[in-house]
Amino acid sequence: MVTHSQTQRESRSSRVRPYALTGGRTRSRHQLLVETMISVTEYDRDRAEKLLPESRAVYEQARSPVSLAELSATLDIPLGVIRVLVSDLAADGVIFIHPTGQAYSYDHNILERILDGLNKLSA
């Protein structure tokens, strides 16, 4: 059952400028690359109902792992806005940000494992 306030919030969001969705913020609290994957840690329907429409859409899409690029394209929301919304949801602990390959770029153990794996392939 859709309540009147839900209908108001959903229709309002189509008229709201992107910078208003983020409170004028253009930077996120987390390093979020285009390829960064996110997912919902534990889906909570009541929590979803309390979110603004754009944040709720992100939350719903992240029920299965999804990248920021996919979110931006699917929801037709600018990537910068997606970054801020995801960062806010992650700060609230409802979205998990998966580490990217860049997080391991200077880890010598990972690089050695990759090198060992490549050597095994060529042998």
Side-chain angles (χ1 to χ4, degrees):
M1 179 176 173
V2 178
T3 64
H4 179 66
S5 64
Q6 283 179 319
T7 306
Q8 274 185 320
R9 283 191 293 175
E10 289 172 2
S11 64
R12 173 192 58 87
S13 67
S14 64
R15 296 176 295 181
V16 175
R17 306 291 296 171
Y19 62 83
L21 298 174
T22 63
R25 293 172 293 146
T26 58
R27 294 183 183 199
S28 63
R29 299 175 211 175
H30 303 85
Q31 183 180 10
L32 298 170
L33 304 174
V34 172
E35 68 271 17
T36 300
M37 299 292 290
I38 64 165
S39 61
V40 169
T41 54
E42 187 174 322
Y43 183 76
D44 181 356
R45 181 180 298 274
D46 292 334
R47 183 166 195 102
E49 295 293 326
K50 295 175 184 172
L51 296 172
L52 293 175
E54 295 78 13
S55 294
R56 184 179 337 129
V58 169
Y59 186 68
E60 295 288 341
Q61 289 287 319
R63 290 174 75 172
S64 59
V66 63
S67 72
L68 295 188
E70 290 173 286
L71 278 175
S72 178
T74 303
L75 300 175
D76 197 25
I77 296 175
L79 187 59
V81 174
I82 289 290
R83 283 184 170 125
V84 174
L85 296 176
V86 166
S87 182
D88 290 347
L89 290 169
D92 290 341
V94 296
I95 289 222
F96 176 70
I97 300 172
H98 298 264
T100 61
Q102 190 174 19
Y104 302 109
S105 64
Y106 299 109
D107 187 340
H108 289 284
N109 290 331
I110 295 292
L111 293 175
E112 287 179 14
R113 288 176 54 196
I114 292 171
L115 186 59
D116 287 344
L118 291 173
N119 285 334
K120 288 177 184 174
L121 286 176
S122 64

mmCIF file with all atom_site columns, all heavy atoms in Angstrom, residues 54-75:
data_model
loop_
_atom_site.group_PDB
_atom_site.id
_atom_site.type_symbol
_atom_site.label_atom_id
_atom_site.label_alt_id
_atom_site.label_comp_id
_atom_site.label_asym_id
_atom_site.label_entity_id
_atom_site.label_seq_id
_atom_site.pdbx_PDB_ins_code
_atom_site.Cartn_x
_atom_site.Cartn_y
_atom_site.Cartn_z
_atom_site.occupancy
_atom_site.B_iso_or_equiv
_atom_site.pdbx_formal_charge
_atom_site.auth_seq_id
_atom_site.auth_comp_id
_atom_site.auth_asym_id
_atom_site.auth_atom_id
_atom_site.pdbx_PDB_model_num
ATOM 1   N N   . GLU A 1 54 ? 15.738 8.482  -3.965  1.00 0.00 ? 54 GLU A N   1
ATOM 2   C CA  . GLU A 1 54 ? 16.993 8.165  -4.653  1.00 0.00 ? 54 GLU A CA  1
ATOM 3   C C   . GLU A 1 54 ? 17.854 7.218  -3.831  1.00 0.00 ? 54 GLU A C   1
ATOM 4   O O   . GLU A 1 54 ? 18.427 6.262  -4.349  1.00 0.00 ? 54 GLU A O   1
ATOM 5   C CB  . GLU A 1 54 ? 17.770 9.442  -4.981  1.00 0.00 ? 54 GLU A CB  1
ATOM 6   C CG  . GLU A 1 54 ? 17.069 10.336 -5.979  1.00 0.00 ? 54 GLU A CG  1
ATOM 7   C CD  . GLU A 1 54 ? 15.928 11.149 -5.363  1.00 0.00 ? 54 GLU A CD  1
ATOM 8   O OE1 . GLU A 1 54 ? 15.840 11.209 -4.115  1.00 0.00 ? 54 GLU A OE1 1
ATOM 9   O OE2 . GLU A 1 54 ? 15.128 11.713 -6.127  1.00 0.00 ? 54 GLU A OE2 1
ATOM 10  N N   . SER A 1 55 ? 17.934 7.474  -2.538  1.00 0.00 ? 55 SER A N   1
ATOM 11  C CA  . SER A 1 55 ? 18.698 6.585  -1.659  1.00 0.00 ? 55 SER A CA  1
ATOM 12  C C   . SER A 1 55 ? 18.027 5.223  -1.572  1.00 0.00 ? 55 SER A C   1
ATOM 13  O O   . SER A 1 55 ? 18.704 4.192  -1.544  1.00 0.00 ? 55 SER A O   1
ATOM 14  C CB  . SER A 1 55 ? 18.822 7.195  -0.258  1.00 0.00 ? 55 SER A CB  1
ATOM 15  O OG  . SER A 1 55 ? 19.599 8.364  -0.304  1.00 0.00 ? 55 SER A OG  1
ATOM 16  N N   . ARG A 1 56 ? 16.714 5.205  -1.560  1.00 0.00 ? 56 ARG A N   1
ATOM 17  C CA  . ARG A 1 56 ? 15.989 3.935  -1.528  1.00 0.00 ? 56 ARG A CA  1
ATOM 18  C C   . ARG A 1 56 ? 16.256 3.143  -2.809  1.00 0.00 ? 56 ARG A C   1
ATOM 19  O O   . ARG A 1 56 ? 16.447 1.916  -2.769  1.00 0.00 ? 56 ARG A O   1
ATOM 20  C CB  . ARG A 1 56 ? 14.493 4.158  -1.365  1.00 0.00 ? 56 ARG A CB  1
ATOM 21  C CG  . ARG A 1 56 ? 13.731 2.857  -1.224  1.00 0.00 ? 56 ARG A CG  1
ATOM 22  C CD  . ARG A 1 56 ? 12.225 2.987  -1.040  1.00 0.00 ? 56 ARG A CD  1
ATOM 23  N NE  . ARG A 1 56 ? 11.798 4.243  -0.523  1.00 0.00 ? 56 ARG A NE  1
ATOM 24  C CZ  . ARG A 1 56 ? 10.843 4.993  -1.067  1.00 0.00 ? 56 ARG A CZ  1
ATOM 25  N NH1 . ARG A 1 56 ? 10.229 4.590  -2.157  1.00 0.00 ? 56 ARG A NH1 1
ATOM 26  N NH2 . ARG A 1 56 ? 10.502 6.129  -0.534  1.00 0.00 ? 56 ARG A NH2 1
ATOM 27  N N   . ALA A 1 57 ? 16.290 3.835  -3.938  1.00 0.00 ? 57 ALA A N   1
ATOM 28  C CA  . ALA A 1 57 ? 16.566 3.155  -5.207  1.00 0.00 ? 57 ALA A CA  1
ATOM 29  C C   . ALA A 1 57 ? 17.964 2.545  -5.195  1.00 0.00 ? 57 ALA A C   1
ATOM 30  O O   . ALA A 1 57 ? 18.153 1.407  -5.647  1.00 0.00 ? 57 ALA A O   1
ATOM 31  C CB  . ALA A 1 57 ? 16.415 4.134  -6.370  1.00 0.00 ? 57 ALA A CB  1
ATOM 32  N N   . VAL A 1 58 ? 18.936 3.266  -4.664  1.00 0.00 ? 58 VAL A N   1
ATOM 33  C CA  . VAL A 1 58 ? 20.296 2.734  -4.544  1.00 0.00 ? 58 VAL A CA  1
ATOM 34  C C   . VAL A 1 58 ? 20.288 1.516  -3.632  1.00 0.00 ? 58 VAL A C   1
ATOM 35  O O   . VAL A 1 58 ? 20.867 0.474  -3.952  1.00 0.00 ? 58 VAL A O   1
ATOM 36  C CB  . VAL A 1 58 ? 21.272 3.811  -4.017  1.00 0.00 ? 58 VAL A CB  1
ATOM 37  C CG1 . VAL A 1 58 ? 22.615 3.202  -3.630  1.00 0.00 ? 58 VAL A CG1 1
ATOM 38  C CG2 . VAL A 1 58 ? 21.448 4.922  -5.037  1.00 0.00 ? 58 VAL A CG2 1
ATOM 39  N N   . TYR A 1 59 ? 19.613 1.646  -2.507  1.00 0.00 ? 59 TYR A N   1
ATOM 40  C CA  . TYR A 1 59 ? 19.538 0.555  -1.520  1.00 0.00 ? 59 TYR A CA  1
ATOM 41  C C   . TYR A 1 59 ? 18.894 -0.688 -2.139  1.00 0.00 ? 59 TYR A C   1
ATOM 42  O O   . TYR A 1 59 ? 19.382 -1.799 -1.970  1.00 0.00 ? 59 TYR A O   1
ATOM 43  C CB  . TYR A 1 59 ? 18.739 1.054  -0.317  1.00 0.00 ? 59 TYR A CB  1
ATOM 44  C CG  . TYR A 1 59 ? 18.675 0.126  0.853   1.00 0.00 ? 59 TYR A CG  1
ATOM 45  C CD1 . TYR A 1 59 ? 19.797 -0.168 1.607   1.00 0.00 ? 59 TYR A CD1 1
ATOM 46  C CD2 . TYR A 1 59 ? 17.461 -0.452 1.227   1.00 0.00 ? 59 TYR A CD2 1
ATOM 47  C CE1 . TYR A 1 59 ? 19.736 -1.017 2.692   1.00 0.00 ? 59 TYR A CE1 1
ATOM 48  C CE2 . TYR A 1 59 ? 17.380 -1.303 2.318   1.00 0.00 ? 59 TYR A CE2 1
ATOM 49  C CZ  . TYR A 1 59 ? 18.523 -1.580 3.049   1.00 0.00 ? 59 TYR A CZ  1
ATOM 50  O OH  . TYR A 1 59 ? 18.450 -2.428 4.120   1.00 0.00 ? 59 TYR A OH  1
ATOM 51  N N   . GLU A 1 60 ? 17.819 -0.492 -2.872  1.00 0.00 ? 60 GLU A N   1
ATOM 52  C CA  . GLU A 1 60 ? 17.132 -1.628 -3.501  1.00 0.00 ? 60 GLU A CA  1
ATOM 53  C C   . GLU A 1 60 ? 18.010 -2.290 -4.565  1.00 0.00 ? 60 GLU A C   1
ATOM 54  O O   . GLU A 1 60 ? 18.067 -3.513 -4.656  1.00 0.00 ? 60 GLU A O   1
ATOM 55  C CB  . GLU A 1 60 ? 15.812 -1.173 -4.136  1.00 0.00 ? 60 GLU A CB  1
ATOM 56  C CG  . GLU A 1 60 ? 14.777 -0.664 -3.163  1.00 0.00 ? 60 GLU A CG  1
ATOM 57  C CD  . GLU A 1 60 ? 14.136 -1.768 -2.323  1.00 0.00 ? 60 GLU A CD  1
ATOM 58  O OE1 . GLU A 1 60 ? 14.220 -2.941 -2.713  1.00 0.00 ? 60 GLU A OE1 1
ATOM 59  O OE2 . GLU A 1 60 ? 13.574 -1.441 -1.267  1.00 0.00 ? 60 GLU A OE2 1
ATOM 60  N N   . GLN A 1 61 ? 18.691 -1.478 -5.384  1.00 0.00 ? 61 GLN A N   1
ATOM 61  C CA  . GLN A 1 61 ? 19.548 -2.030 -6.440  1.00 0.00 ? 61 GLN A CA  1
ATOM 62  C C   . GLN A 1 61 ? 20.722 -2.809 -5.861  1.00 0.00 ? 61 GLN A C   1
ATOM 63  O O   . GLN A 1 61 ? 21.197 -3.762 -6.465  1.00 0.00 ? 61 GLN A O   1
ATOM 64  C CB  . GLN A 1 61 ? 20.077 -0.894 -7.333  1.00 0.00 ? 61 GLN A CB  1
ATOM 65  C CG  . GLN A 1 61 ? 19.039 -0.254 -8.218  1.00 0.00 ? 61 GLN A CG  1
ATOM 66  C CD  . GLN A 1 61 ? 18.652 -1.161 -9.369  1.00 0.00 ? 61 GLN A CD  1
ATOM 67  O OE1 . GLN A 1 61 ? 19.487 -1.811 -9.966  1.00 0.00 ? 61 GLN A OE1 1
ATOM 68  N NE2 . GLN A 1 61 ? 17.371 -1.199 -9.671  1.00 0.00 ? 61 GLN A NE2 1
ATOM 69  N N   . ALA A 1 62 ? 21.192 -2.374 -4.690  1.00 0.00 ? 62 ALA A N   1
ATOM 70  C CA  . ALA A 1 62 ? 22.371 -2.999 -4.081  1.00 0.00 ? 62 ALA A CA  1
ATOM 71  C C   . ALA A 1 62 ? 22.028 -4.281 -3.322  1.00 0.00 ? 62 ALA A C   1
ATOM 72  O O   . ALA A 1 62 ? 22.893 -4.844 -2.664  1.00 0.00 ? 62 ALA A O   1
ATOM 73  C CB  . ALA A 1 62 ? 23.057 -2.002 -3.157  1.00 0.00 ? 62 ALA A CB  1
ATOM 74  N N   . ARG A 1 63 ? 20.802 -4.756 -3.447  1.00 0.00 ? 63 ARG A N   1
ATOM 75  C CA  . ARG A 1 63 ? 20.464 -6.037 -2.817  1.00 0.00 ? 63 ARG A CA  1
ATOM 76  C C   . ARG A 1 63 ? 21.299 -7.153 -3.430  1.00 0.00 ? 63 ARG A C   1
ATOM 77  O O   . ARG A 1 63 ? 21.531 -8.178 -2.815  1.00 0.00 ? 63 ARG A O   1
ATOM 78  C CB  . ARG A 1 63 ? 18.979 -6.321 -2.958  1.00 0.00 ? 63 ARG A CB  1
ATOM 79  C CG  . ARG A 1 63 ? 18.150 -5.375 -2.099  1.00 0.00 ? 63 ARG A CG  1
ATOM 80  C CD  . ARG A 1 63 ? 16.694 -5.542 -2.320  1.00 0.00 ? 63 ARG A CD  1
ATOM 81  N NE  . ARG A 1 63 ? 16.247 -6.769 -1.648  1.00 0.00 ? 63 ARG A NE  1
ATOM 82  C CZ  . ARG A 1 63 ? 14.980 -7.106 -1.540  1.00 0.00 ? 63 ARG A CZ  1
ATOM 83  N NH1 . ARG A 1 63 ? 14.041 -6.335 -2.036  1.00 0.00 ? 63 ARG A NH1 1
ATOM 84  N NH2 . ARG A 1 63 ? 14.642 -8.206 -0.927  1.00 0.00 ? 63 ARG A NH2 1
ATOM 85  N N   . SER A 1 64 ? 21.730 -6.963 -4.667  1.00 0.00 ? 64 SER A N   1
ATOM 86  C CA  . SER A 1 64 ? 22.736 -7.842 -5.254  1.00 0.00 ? 64 SER A CA  1
ATOM 87  C C   . SER A 1 64 ? 23.912 -6.943 -5.659  1.00 0.00 ? 64 SER A C   1
ATOM 88  O O   . SER A 1 64 ? 23.696 -5.771 -5.986  1.00 0.00 ? 64 SER A O   1
ATOM 89  C CB  . SER A 1 64 ? 22.180 -8.594 -6.465  1.00 0.00 ? 64 SER A CB  1
ATOM 90  O OG  . SER A 1 64 ? 21.740 -7.697 -7.432  1.00 0.00 ? 64 SER A OG  1
ATOM 91  N N   . PRO A 1 65 ? 25.130 -7.448 -5.594  1.00 0.00 ? 65 PRO A N   1
ATOM 92  C CA  . PRO A 1 65 ? 26.298 -6.597 -5.866  1.00 0.00 ? 65 PRO A CA  1
ATOM 93  C C   . PRO A 1 65 ? 26.174 -5.847 -7.187  1.00 0.00 ? 65 PRO A C   1
ATOM 94  O O   . PRO A 1 65 ? 25.793 -6.420 -8.215  1.00 0.00 ? 65 PRO A O   1
ATOM 95  C CB  . PRO A 1 65 ? 27.457 -7.589 -5.896  1.00 0.00 ? 65 PRO A CB  1
ATOM 96  C CG  . PRO A 1 65 ? 26.994 -8.732 -5.042  1.00 0.00 ? 65 PRO A CG  1
ATOM 97  C CD  . PRO A 1 65 ? 25.511 -8.821 -5.278  1.00 0.00 ? 65 PRO A CD  1
ATOM 98  N N   . VAL A 1 66 ? 26.499 -4.575 -7.143  1.00 0.00 ? 66 VAL A N   1
ATOM 99  C CA  . VAL A 1 66 ? 26.359 -3.710 -8.306  1.00 0.00 ? 66 VAL A CA  1
ATOM 100 C C   . VAL A 1 66 ? 27.456 -2.654 -8.253  1.00 0.00 ? 66 VAL A C   1
ATOM 101 O O   . VAL A 1 66 ? 27.889 -2.242 -7.176  1.00 0.00 ? 66 VAL A O   1
ATOM 102 C CB  . VAL A 1 66 ? 24.943 -3.076 -8.341  1.00 0.00 ? 66 VAL A CB  1
ATOM 103 C CG1 . VAL A 1 66 ? 24.692 -2.193 -7.152  1.00 0.00 ? 66 VAL A CG1 1
ATOM 104 C CG2 . VAL A 1 66 ? 24.692 -2.334 -9.620  1.00 0.00 ? 66 VAL A CG2 1
ATOM 105 N N   . SER A 1 67 ? 27.930 -2.232 -9.429  1.00 0.00 ? 67 SER A N   1
ATOM 106 C CA  . SER A 1 67 ? 28.968 -1.194 -9.474  1.00 0.00 ? 67 SER A CA  1
ATOM 107 C C   . SER A 1 67 ? 28.330 0.192  -9.496  1.00 0.00 ? 67 SER A C   1
ATOM 108 O O   . SER A 1 67 ? 27.152 0.346  -9.824  1.00 0.00 ? 67 SER A O   1
ATOM 109 C CB  . SER A 1 67 ? 29.843 -1.373 -10.719 1.00 0.00 ? 67 SER A CB  1
ATOM 110 O OG  . SER A 1 67 ? 29.116 -1.003 -11.873 1.00 0.00 ? 67 SER A OG  1
ATOM 111 N N   . LEU A 1 68 ? 29.123 1.187  -9.171  1.00 0.00 ? 68 LEU A N   1
ATOM 112 C CA  . LEU A 1 68 ? 28.609 2.557  -9.192  1.00 0.00 ? 68 LEU A CA  1
ATOM 113 C C   . LEU A 1 68 ? 28.212 2.966  -10.611 1.00 0.00 ? 68 LEU A C   1
ATOM 114 O O   . LEU A 1 68 ? 27.221 3.676  -10.793 1.00 0.00 ? 68 LEU A O   1
ATOM 115 C CB  . LEU A 1 68 ? 29.657 3.531  -8.654  1.00 0.00 ? 68 LEU A CB  1
ATOM 116 C CG  . LEU A 1 68 ? 30.042 3.380  -7.190  1.00 0.00 ? 68 LEU A CG  1
ATOM 117 C CD1 . LEU A 1 68 ? 30.944 4.529  -6.775  1.00 0.00 ? 68 LEU A CD1 1
ATOM 118 C CD2 . LEU A 1 68 ? 28.841 3.303  -6.296  1.00 0.00 ? 68 LEU A CD2 1
ATOM 119 N N   . ALA A 1 69 ? 28.974 2.507  -11.596 1.00 0.00 ? 69 ALA A N   1
ATOM 120 C CA  . ALA A 1 69 ? 28.645 2.838  -12.984 1.00 0.00 ? 69 ALA A CA  1
ATOM 121 C C   . ALA A 1 69 ? 27.281 2.272  -13.371 1.00 0.00 ? 69 ALA A C   1
ATOM 122 O O   . ALA A 1 69 ? 26.464 2.955  -14.011 1.00 0.00 ? 69 ALA A O   1
ATOM 123 C CB  . ALA A 1 69 ? 29.728 2.304  -13.919 1.00 0.00 ? 69 ALA A CB  1
ATOM 124 N N   . GLU A 1 70 ? 27.025 1.042  -12.952 1.00 0.00 ? 70 GLU A N   1
ATOM 125 C CA  . GLU A 1 70 ? 25.726 0.421  -13.246 1.00 0.00 ? 70 GLU A CA  1
ATOM 126 C C   . GLU A 1 70 ? 24.598 1.169  -12.549 1.00 0.00 ? 70 GLU A C   1
ATOM 127 O O   . GLU A 1 70 ? 23.533 1.374  -13.123 1.00 0.00 ? 70 GLU A O   1
ATOM 128 C CB  . GLU A 1 70 ? 25.723 -1.039 -12.795 1.00 0.00 ? 70 GLU A CB  1
ATOM 129 C CG  . GLU A 1 70 ? 26.599 -1.948 -13.620 1.00 0.00 ? 70 GLU A CG  1
ATOM 130 C CD  . GLU A 1 70 ? 26.689 -3.338 -13.012 1.00 0.00 ? 70 GLU A CD  1
ATOM 131 O OE1 . GLU A 1 70 ? 27.384 -3.479 -11.990 1.00 0.00 ? 70 GLU A OE1 1
ATOM 132 O OE2 . GLU A 1 70 ? 26.045 -4.241 -13.556 1.00 0.00 ? 70 GLU A OE2 1
ATOM 133 N N   . LEU A 1 71 ? 24.834 1.558  -11.294 1.00 0.00 ? 71 LEU A N   1
ATOM 134 C CA  . LEU A 1 71 ? 23.814 2.308  -10.561 1.00 0.00 ? 71 LEU A CA  1
ATOM 135 C C   . LEU A 1 71 ? 23.487 3.613  -11.263 1.00 0.00 ? 71 LEU A C   1
ATOM 136 O O   . LEU A 1 71 ? 22.320 3.968  -11.434 1.00 0.00 ? 71 LEU A O   1
ATOM 137 C CB  . LEU A 1 71 ? 24.301 2.622  -9.141  1.00 0.00 ? 71 LEU A CB  1
ATOM 138 C CG  . LEU A 1 71 ? 24.158 1.541  -8.102  1.00 0.00 ? 71 LEU A CG  1
ATOM 139 C CD1 . LEU A 1 71 ? 24.806 1.987  -6.803  1.00 0.00 ? 71 LEU A CD1 1
ATOM 140 C CD2 . LEU A 1 71 ? 22.703 1.203  -7.873  1.00 0.00 ? 71 LEU A CD2 1
ATOM 141 N N   . SER A 1 72 ? 24.542 4.320  -11.650 1.00 0.00 ? 72 SER A N   1
ATOM 142 C CA  . SER A 1 72 ? 24.341 5.612  -12.300 1.00 0.00 ? 72 SER A CA  1
ATOM 143 C C   . SER A 1 72 ? 23.534 5.454  -13.590 1.00 0.00 ? 72 SER A C   1
ATOM 144 O O   . SER A 1 72 ? 22.601 6.213  -13.847 1.00 0.00 ? 72 SER A O   1
ATOM 145 C CB  . SER A 1 72 ? 25.693 6.267  -12.587 1.00 0.00 ? 72 SER A CB  1
ATOM 146 O OG  . SER A 1 72 ? 25.518 7.491  -13.243 1.00 0.00 ? 72 SER A OG  1
ATOM 147 N N   . ALA A 1 73 ? 23.891 4.447  -14.382 1.00 0.00 ? 73 ALA A N   1
ATOM 148 C CA  . ALA A 1 73 ? 23.198 4.225  -15.656 1.00 0.00 ? 73 ALA A CA  1
ATOM 149 C C   . ALA A 1 73 ? 21.769 3.731  -15.439 1.00 0.00 ? 73 ALA A C   1
ATOM 150 O O   . ALA A 1 73 ? 20.834 4.202  -16.087 1.00 0.00 ? 73 ALA A O   1
ATOM 151 C CB  . ALA A 1 73 ? 23.984 3.224  -16.497 1.00 0.00 ? 73 ALA A CB  1
ATOM 152 N N   . THR A 1 74 ? 21.611 2.808  -14.529 1.00 0.00 ? 74 THR A N   1
ATOM 153 C CA  . THR A 1 74 ? 20.287 2.221  -14.297 1.00 0.00 ? 74 THR A CA  1
ATOM 154 C C   . THR A 1 74 ? 19.309 3.227  -13.705 1.00 0.00 ? 74 THR A C   1
ATOM 155 O O   . THR A 1 74 ? 18.151 3.287  -14.116 1.00 0.00 ? 74 THR A O   1
ATOM 156 C CB  . THR A 1 74 ? 20.405 1.009  -13.344 1.00 0.00 ? 74 THR A CB  1
ATOM 157 O OG1 . THR A 1 74 ? 21.308 0.070  -13.907 1.00 0.00 ? 74 THR A OG1 1
ATOM 158 C CG2 . THR A 1 74 ? 19.061 0.363  -13.106 1.00 0.00 ? 74 THR A CG2 1
ATOM 159 N N   . LEU A 1 75 ? 19.783 4.006  -12.744 1.00 0.00 ? 75 LEU A N   1
ATOM 160 C CA  . LEU A 1 75 ? 18.897 4.940  -12.050 1.00 0.00 ? 75 LEU A CA  1
ATOM 161 C C   . LEU A 1 75 ? 18.849 6.313  -12.718 1.00 0.00 ? 75 LEU A C   1
ATOM 162 O O   . LEU A 1 75 ? 18.079 7.178  -12.284 1.00 0.00 ? 75 LEU A O   1
ATOM 163 C CB  . LEU A 1 75 ? 19.343 5.087  -10.587 1.00 0.00 ? 75 LEU A CB  1
ATOM 164 C CG  . LEU A 1 75 ? 19.338 3.794  -9.772  1.00 0.00 ? 75 LEU A CG  1
ATOM 165 C CD1 . LEU A 1 75 ? 19.899 4.040  -8.389  1.00 0.00 ? 75 LEU A CD1 1
ATOM 166 C CD2 . LEU A 1 75 ? 17.931 3.208  -9.708  1.00 0.00 ? 75 LEU A CD2 1
#
